[in-house]
Amino acid sequence: MPRSKPAKPYRDFPLFPHGSGQWAKKIRGKTWYFGSWDDPDTALKQFLAERDHIQAGENPRLLTGSSTPGGHTVRDVCNHFLTVQRQKVDSGELSPRTFADYMKTCERVIGFFGKETVAATLKPSNFSAFRQSFPSTWGPRMAGREIRQTKTLFRFAAEEELVDHLPNFGGNFKQPGVKVLRRLRQEKRNAHGELMFEAAELRSMVAQARRPWDAMILLGANCAFGNSDIANLPRNVIDLAGGWIDYGRQKTGIDRRCPLWPETIAALRDSLLHRRLPVDSGDSELVFLTTYRNRYIRETSPGKFSDGISGAFSKMLERWGVKRPGLGFYSLRRTFETVAAETGDQITVDHIMGHIDQSMAGVYRQRIADAQLLRVSEHVRLWFNHNQENALAK
């Protein structure tokens, strides 16, 4: 539940409690923020120090030598950060989805702190108030991601010397602990079941899916491909004759090699046979295109991306009677991980998943034998086909 606004410390207190969690005052038609509800004395001191400058039409947070030092504004920091991240997207170092998330975070930071606020002046009380302003509909995981991305933004500012030191975020601006997230997962599991598909559900989904969704679902179950993997899959990484796919994971930069099931090969052949030419010639090598011949995840405007997989798949699950809270296309990766782990060969499972092995063994290991990949893949396939007997022996 959102916190109730506090009463003024005393009747003539010049500031009012703003819904953002800060004490504020409207001066010359603009609302100025002076500090957290939890510390009205500090907020009053900042107001008294800055009031005359503001009434004179000046921004005290840009004036060197005033009680608030000058320097790069929050807008400067965000613009520089997004410019660098955009370059990473163009070079393939950063996914468009992550860039879109960074852009939303910057919009929230600017909207809350104010675009002309000097970044170096932000204090623990400011970050605490920002945390309190998060929508009440956000759970711990969403709040944690916003906190992590905000800290990434200001660490970047310190590294680029846009601020002279890393801000003190304070004790209230921390990501939820592991125990909190673990408890949340358990509560969801108890309420809605596992965030994975059962074999019978998968078989039913593939049987009902129209081209090319049958191939997309099979790739999720067979090779643990997620949304971006599917949307960006090029034809030249697939060896249908040999039954293999070699496709590095963009998110981690890890090489992946996965044996293809006969069911997956058949669905891919059919999809490629009926594939139409794309609207954009730059998408000519993509395996999957939407009904309108566009890539499934694409930039519709600067920093805004359309994901044609998540929404469409969610509607399909509802139509097929498989819809449960938390289930989506990415649940196919969870399904593969869960079933494949039964082999006891986590190294091979991680390779197919595209996970990073940060151990010393991972540094020295040069490859995974095809026989290991086939063994893990066949175990998942036998589970999928509802014939688990002697799966590990295969």
Side-chain angles (χ1 to χ4, degrees):
M1 293 289 294
R3 290 177 61 189
S4 299
K5 292 182 180 179
K8 291 187 176 185
Y10 49 88
R11 182 178 177 181
D12 296 330
F13 190 71
L15 309 177
F16 70 89
H18 190 269
S20 64
Q22 296 198 66
W23 292 103
K25 180 79 171 178
K26 196 164 188 177
I27 306 174
R28 294 174 62 92
K30 177 183 176 181
T31 301
W32 292 79
Y33 304 93
F34 298 97
S36 170
W37 290 345
D38 298 327
D39 193 354
D41 291 338
T42 300
L44 178 62
K45 289 178 182 178
Q46 184 169 347
F47 164 70
L48 294 175
E50 297 180 350
R51 176 182 55 188
D52 292 343
H53 291 291
I54 297 172
Q55 289 176 340
E58 301 171 340
N59 186 341
R61 299 171 190 181
L62 295 176
L63 297 175
T64 303
S66 71
S67 59
T68 304
H72 289 283
T73 65
V74 169
R75 178 174 56 183
D76 294 334
V77 168
C78 287
N79 284 343
H80 191 33
F81 176 74
L82 290 176
T83 297
V84 172
Q85 303 313 313
R86 180 76 233 192
Q87 293 170 351
K88 290 182 179 180
V89 173
D90 295 339
S91 66
E93 299 174 67
L94 187 73
S95 73
R97 184 187 296 273
T98 300
F99 177 79
D101 287 341
Y102 281 152
M103 192 165 183
K104 289 177 183 177
T105 294
C106 286
E107 290 172 353
R108 293 188 190 101
V109 166
I110 290 175
F112 183 83
F113 294 122
K115 62 184 178 181
E116 299 299 334
T117 299
V118 176
T121 66
L122 296 177
K123 304 173 183 177
S125 60
N126 301 125
F127 289 105
S128 179
F130 182 47
R131 170 67 181 86
Q132 293 169 16
S133 76
F134 292 172
S136 59
T137 53
W138 283 10
R141 189 176 299 278
M142 185 69 179
R145 185 175 70 174
E146 188 71 359
I147 290 171
R148 182 176 65 252
Q149 293 184 167
T150 301
K151 288 185 174 181
T152 296
L153 168 67
F154 284 98
R155 287 193 185 98
F156 169 87
E159 291 169 356
E160 294 292 305
E161 298 183 350
L162 301 177
V163 294
D164 57 7
H165 62 277
L166 184 67
N168 179 1
F169 297 108
N172 291 329
F173 199 68
K174 292 181 178 180
Q175 298 179 63
V178 175
K179 290 178 63 176
V180 173
L181 297 178
R182 188 183 298 124
R183 187 183 70 246
L184 178 65
R185 285 196 298 269
Q186 188 61 50
E187 289 173 354
K188 287 185 175 180
R189 186 178 295 115
N190 293 340
H192 307 296
E194 303 286 349
L195 295 181
M196 61 173 284
F197 299 105
E198 298 302 332
E201 292 176 325
L202 273 177
R203 291 196 302 273
S204 176
M205 288 158 54
V206 172
Q208 296 180 74
R210 297 180 180 178
R211 181 193 319 120
W213 282 94
D214 54 347
M216 294 161 67
I217 294 170
L218 281 165
L219 280 171
N222 180 173
C223 299
F225 283 1
N227 304 44
S228 296
D229 298 325
I230 294 292
N232 299 316
L233 180 64
R235 291 184 288 181
N236 62 0
V237 301
I238 302 173
D239 176 11
L240 292 178
W244 290 90
I245 186 166
D246 291 271
Y247 184 32
R249 192 174 181 218
Q250 183 181 26
K251 182 177 181 178
T252 59
I254 298 297
D255 291 335
R256 291 177 298 183
R257 178 169 168 81
C258 179
L260 296 173
W261 302 343
E263 298 88 344
T264 310
I265 293 173
L268 280 170
R269 285 190 191 279
D270 186 52
S271 293
L272 289 170
L273 180 64
H274 293 89
R275 177 184 175 278
R276 294 185 296 167
L277 293 176
V279 172
D280 187 339
S281 60
D283 298 334
S284 60
E285 288 303 311
L286 295 180
V287 172
F288 299 113
L289 297 169
T290 68
T291 303
Y292 299 101
R293 299 181 291 130
N294 294 310
R295 64 169 60 224
Y296 272 95
I297 298 178
R298 61 194 181 94
E299 189 172 23
T300 55
S301 61
K304 306 294 181 181
F305 292 85
S306 170
D307 184 343
I309 294 179
S310 293
F313 189 68
S314 180
K315 291 178 181 177
M316 291 179 199
L317 293 181
E318 189 168 0
R319 187 166 65 248
W320 296 335
V322 188
K323 183 74 172 177
R324 296 192 298 275
L327 278 185
F329 195 87
Y330 215 74
S331 298
L332 293 167
R333 277 179 60 79
R334 299 189 187 101
T335 302
F336 177 90
E337 169 73 43
T338 302
V339 179
E342 295 170 358
T343 63
D345 187 354
Q346 194 61 44
I347 291 174
T348 302
V349 175
D350 288 346
H351 178 83
I352 295 175
M353 293 285 295
H355 288 161
I356 299 174
D357 184 351
Q358 296 181 330
S359 68
M360 186 57 67
V363 174
Y364 282 96
R365 188 182 307 112
Q366 300 300 297
R367 63 173 177 261
I368 303 290
D370 284 354
Q372 292 176 251
L373 298 170
L374 285 164
R375 180 174 178 269
V376 169
S377 180
E378 186 62 13
H379 174 74
V380 181
R381 179 173 178 256
L382 288 172
W383 169 86
F384 169 76
N385 285 319
H386 202 60
N387 179 16
Q388 298 185 68
E389 186 177 357
N390 295 324
L392 291 177
K394 297 286 185 180

